Amino acid sequence: MSKLFEPISLGGLTLPNRIIIAPMCQYSSDEGKATSWHHAHLGQLSFSGAGLLILEATAVEAVGRISAQDLGLWDDETEAALKGLIDGLRENSNIPLGLQLGHAGRKASHAAPWKGGAQIPQSAGGWQTVAPSAIPFAEGTEAPAALTAERISELKKAYVDSVRRADRLGFDLLELHGAHGYLLHQFLSPLSNQRTDQYGGSLENRMRLLLEIFQEIRAAFPANKPIGVRISATDWAEGGWDLEQSIELAKALDKLGCSYIHVSSGGLSQHQKIAVGPNYQVPFADSIKQHVKMPVIAVGLITEPEQAEAIVGTGQADMIALARGILYNPRWPWHAAAKLGAKVYAPKQYWRSEPHSVKGLFLPE
């Protein structure tokens, strides 16, 4: 029996297997509203047979978008657009749906990757970014405005409001984005957080905002629905956030009833030096798993079914996440099930595609 294709429970939600589709920004929204691109993109991924589909980083306020084309959930219009999308997905697939809530902080106001990805200054149509401290992400870019105590209170409310909207939309799961150099990660790292109040300085203070927001959104979302957190385990930069601090954060989240932790890395510093290779982030997930009770997701250059099976089967992580790999091959879980002798859910319209060599591969949704 394949461990990768065993069910797993996250709070009150049971996933049919341990393959997670990680959030992937599409830079294709209209003033925060989902478009036909999202219907096409997520529609094909909803047929993949993965255990969970998490929608891209969704901004809790307009200034929190990475680009002007980011998905959002901050008002009635953005909620209505997402409702049309979610309703369409639900009509054709039973895949569990999650939403990642985020805020880009100082990494906001950028162009889409295919337009170069550079920061767009206010003079060229961008907007004033915010951060824990007025430290630019890169040399030659505009400095963010340091968040005041009043703005931090407004930010917390924005998260809670978005969570309530997400619940009305019927999402099965939420993920709090605390990774990849975005706002909550900026509070965690001493490279970007030089505050002298209760949100800066010591590790306890730097973790405070993420933990407070987690507690507030946990209280606003039904208790039977899981909320996880995505983190960068290390900044890959001297003097920055690292694995030891990540373990302390994970332990604190575990005590607060976090449903899972999704372990990535990097994204905060222009000076990061990443040793990239297959499974390069798995040791971080493995180390964190030794200190927490909640399930752990590993991600990063996991491309082969046997590789994913080994990670889960040896207990390095409880689940694996796919991002670029599943964009390249949206049927990755089908192929993995075929290789590992497992079964996978597929829509009835596609059952005729089952290869003769793997009869019995497909389960009815």
Side-chain angles (χ1 to χ4, degrees):
M1 174 66 70
S2 166
K3 186 74 173 179
L4 186 65
F5 284 89
E6 280 187 7
I8 185 169
S9 293
L10 304 177
L13 177 67
T14 298
L15 308 182
N17 60 57
R18 295 159 185 250
I19 303 168
I20 312 302
I21 299 179
M24 293 173 281
C25 290
Q26 297 296 294
Y27 308 102
S28 299
S29 303
D30 175 18
E31 296 298 328
K33 299 185 290 294
T35 65
S36 61
W37 173 258
H38 295 93
H39 288 258
H41 163 65
L42 294 166
Q44 66 170 337
L45 293 181
S46 74
F47 299 151
S48 67
L52 173 67
L53 169 56
I54 307 177
L55 274 65
E56 67 192 83
T58 301
V60 299
E61 59 179 15
V63 298
R65 293 172 294 169
I66 304 165
S67 77
Q69 293 76 41
D70 277 25
L71 198 61
L73 187 55
W74 63 73
D75 62 11
D76 291 346
E77 288 190 5
T78 51
E79 181 180 345
L82 258 184
K83 184 178 189 308
L85 171 63
I86 299 309
D87 288 350
L89 294 174
R90 296 289 195 200
E91 285 178 11
N92 298 298
S93 174
N94 292 326
I95 193 170
L97 297 174
L99 182 69
Q100 187 187 71
L101 292 176
H103 193 298
R106 69 180 188 178
K107 291 180 75 174
S109 193
H110 279 65
W114 52 85
K115 294 183 178 179
Q119 186 190 65
I120 301 174
Q122 296 177 68
S123 60
W127 59 89
Q128 175 64 61
T129 63
V130 298
S133 304
I135 304 170
F137 173 62
E139 294 179 10
T141 61
E142 293 183 350
L147 285 164
T148 63
E150 181 181 7
R151 275 291 283 126
I152 287 175
S153 294
E154 292 174 354
L155 180 69
K156 291 180 184 177
K157 183 178 184 300
Y159 271 96
V160 170
D161 288 347
S162 292
V163 165
R164 289 182 175 139
R165 293 181 186 278
D167 184 36
R168 285 199 295 266
L169 291 167
F171 280 100
D172 301 301
L173 169 150
L174 293 179
E175 182 170 282
L176 183 61
H177 198 352
H180 301 158
Y182 299 121
L183 184 64
L184 296 182
H185 185 182
Q186 291 160 29
F187 271 87
L188 294 173
S189 176
L191 296 178
S192 48
N193 184 349
Q194 296 182 7
R195 299 175 74 94
T196 57
D197 64 1
Q198 71 269 34
Y199 292 108
S202 67
L203 174 60
E204 180 184 5
N205 283 356
R206 285 182 280 114
M207 295 193 308
R208 189 183 306 276
L209 183 59
L210 188 152
L211 295 176
E212 286 180 348
I213 289 175
F214 177 83
Q215 291 177 86
E216 293 200 22
I217 66 173
R218 180 64 281 177
F221 202 51
N224 64 316
K225 291 185 176 185
I227 300 180
V229 177
R230 192 172 200 186
I231 69 165
S232 281
T234 176
D235 290 340
W236 297 98
E238 186 176 353
W241 183 255
D242 57 21
L243 178 59
E244 183 179 355
Q245 296 173 87
S246 291
I247 289 171
E248 293 306 309
L249 174 62
K251 288 160 65 175
L253 286 166
D254 210 30
K255 289 179 181 177
L256 294 175
C258 189
S259 302
Y260 68 87
I261 190 161
H262 188 168
V263 184
S264 188
S265 70
L268 183 116
S269 172
Q270 291 267 293
H271 304 293
Q272 65 185 16
K273 295 180 180 178
I274 304 178
V276 177
N279 282 16
Y280 76 104
Q281 293 175 153
V282 174
F284 300 134
D286 190 11
S287 295
I288 289 171
K289 185 170 167 54
Q290 308 312 310
H291 295 87
V292 296
K293 295 178 182 177
M294 62 180 161
V296 176
I297 301 175
V299 66
L301 280 182
I302 300 169
T303 58
E304 303 303 319
E306 298 86 352
Q307 179 189 8
E309 178 71 22
I311 292 166
V312 175
T314 59
Q316 293 174 282
D318 300 284
M319 296 163 279
I320 62 96
L322 303 172
R324 292 170 176 84
I326 206 160
L327 288 184
Y328 187 73
N329 178 8
R331 300 290 182 265
W332 193 95
W334 292 14
H335 300 153
K339 273 196 172 184
L340 299 173
K343 297 179 183 295
V344 67
Y345 287 101
K348 57 184 176 294
Q349 294 90 338
Y350 290 180
W351 291 350
R352 289 180 297 167
S353 71
E354 184 180 74
H356 289 287
S357 59
V358 285
K359 283 297 182 184
L361 173 66
F362 292 146
L363 294 166
E365 282 204 319

